[in-house]
Amino acid sequence: MKLIKKFRIKNFKNIEPIAKLENICLSFDERKVLDKININIYSGEIVGLLGPNGAGKSTIFNIITGLVKPNTGNVIIKNNLVNSDPIYIRAKKYKIGYVPQYGGFFHDLTLRQNLMAIGEILIQDKNYRLQKINSLINKFTLEDVEHIKSKYLSGGQKRKLVISMALLGDPRILLCDEIFAALDVLTIQTLKSILINLQRENPNLCIVICEHQAKELLSIVDRALILSNCNIVAEGSPHELIKDSQAKLHYFGDNF
């Protein structure tokens, strides 16, 4: 496992988490998905969620954003109980950005038009909005494709676009769902560098990544959690996890 980070955040002693999931339980009809899940996430860290298909990783994202309401338990953001707050309140008031696994943009709009559409919702000041959009296009080296319809962009360019759209609101929590899926090796390396730079440049930002590509994820996170059978079965730094017996049993196997 090649590590590309030159630093890792190892602990958060005496620091209040920016968001907490407390005793979250969720079932769909008779199928239990999450059972008494407790997660703390902190400003400044990159956190990974790993687990087999159907373990509930994307569901946790849906609970944080407000798309899904748990049967029991609390979602707390910035010390506020947000169980009843709708998606747009969580996005604007609590500054949650979301990068979905699929889509997340308007296919028939150009890259710039997509950013303008979201910017008009999130940024009232027209001059600052334009400045922010230009800055993101430059930051992600998208100048050559800013007037191309988004459906014609490459997979990596689409990911950069959706990340840029999520960053328009200056999020404190950035949720990335399967961000490396179906991408080539060089594009994955580029995205990993982007995420690390975002962490370095924004000490108040927390990045949470749900991913199946364990080696890629563990090379950039400070901490990761493994979900299996509706529960968190292991948690720790990358080096701690790859030695953890429960992590091997439920996810990595013996040859990881």
Side-chain angles (χ1 to χ4, degrees), residues 112 116 125-135:
R112 175 173 283 275
M116 288 295 294
D125 185 284
K126 185 176 180 179
N127 291 329
Y128 178 65
R129 182 195 311 150
L130 187 59
Q131 176 187 336
K132 183 78 172 179
I133 289 170
N134 289 337
S135 174

Side-chain angles (χ1 to χ4, degrees), residues 46 63 75-76 85 98 101 118 129 136 139-140 162 187:
I46 299 180
I63 288 173
V75 181
I76 299 172
D85 289 346
Y98 179 48
Q101 180 179 357
I118 301 303
R129 182 195 311 150
L136 287 167
K139 181 182 184 66
F140 294 120
V162 180
T187 300

Side-chain angles (χ1 to χ4, degrees), residues 192-208:
K192 291 199 294 185
S193 295
I194 285 172
L195 293 170
I196 291 170
N197 287 333
L198 285 174
Q199 180 188 33
R200 184 181 293 113
E201 295 165 2
N202 301 275
N204 291 323
L205 174 66
C206 173
I207 302 172
V208 188

Side-chain angles (χ1 to χ4, degrees), residues 42-254:
Y42 300 87
S43 295
E45 68 171 344
I46 299 180
V47 187
L49 296 180
L50 291 166
N53 284 328
K57 303 183 299 297
S58 295
T59 302
I60 286 175
F61 278 9
N62 291 337
I63 288 173
I64 294 173
T65 60
L67 184 61
V68 172
K69 188 172 182 178
N71 301 128
T72 59
N74 294 320
V75 181
I76 299 172
I77 303 176
K78 296 182 182 179
N79 291 318
N80 293 288
L81 182 65
V82 301
N83 286 26
S84 300
D85 289 346
I87 295 173
Y88 75 93
I89 291 292
R90 300 193 197 192
K92 293 191 71 173
K93 181 178 179 180
Y94 298 109
K95 293 189 173 295
I96 296 176
Y98 179 48
V99 180
Q101 180 179 357
Y102 302 109
F105 56 89
F106 301 103
H107 289 242
D108 284 321
L109 296 184
T110 67
L111 184 146
R112 175 173 283 275
Q113 287 170 339
N114 267 283
L115 290 169
M116 288 295 294
I118 301 303
E120 288 176 1
I121 297 171
L122 297 177
I123 304 173
Q124 299 302 313
D125 185 284
K126 185 176 180 179
N127 291 329
Y128 178 65
R129 182 195 311 150
L130 187 59
Q131 176 187 336
K132 183 78 172 179
I133 289 170
N134 289 337
S135 174
L136 287 167
I137 288 174
N138 179 262
K139 181 182 184 66
F140 294 120
T141 60
L142 295 168
E143 297 94 336
D144 291 342
V145 295
E146 63 176 298
H147 299 300
I148 302 295
K149 283 191 175 183
S150 299
K151 62 185 177 184
Y152 298 125
L153 300 175
S154 69
Q157 290 164 345
K158 290 174 181 176
R159 287 290 201 284
K160 288 181 179 181
L161 167 60
V162 180
I163 294 172
S164 298
M165 293 166 70
L167 291 174
L168 276 171
D170 294 320
R172 292 289 307 279
I173 301 171
L174 181 64
L175 306 174
C176 301
D177 194 355
E178 300 283 355
I179 196 170
F180 305 135
L183 296 177
D184 61 86
V185 174
L186 287 177
T187 300
I188 289 174
Q189 294 302 313
T190 298
L191 288 177
K192 291 199 294 185
S193 295
I194 285 172
L195 293 170
I196 291 170
N197 287 333
L198 285 174
Q199 180 188 33
R200 184 181 293 113
E201 295 165 2
N202 301 275
N204 291 323
L205 174 66
C206 173
I207 302 172
V208 188
I209 308 170
C210 162
E211 185 56 60
H212 277 300
Q213 300 198 44
K215 290 183 179 180
E216 305 293 358
L217 181 71
L218 293 178
S219 70
I220 63 170
V221 299
D222 302 296
R223 178 170 61 98
L225 303 91
I226 296 178
L227 282 83
S228 182
N229 298 324
C230 310
N231 300 111
I232 296 171
V233 298
E235 178 179 358
S237 71
H239 288 296
E240 290 169 341
L241 279 184
I242 60 178
K243 298 176 182 179
D244 188 282
S245 60
Q246 290 300 307
K248 291 181 179 180
L249 175 65
H250 291 278
Y251 188 66
F252 294 131
D254 293 324

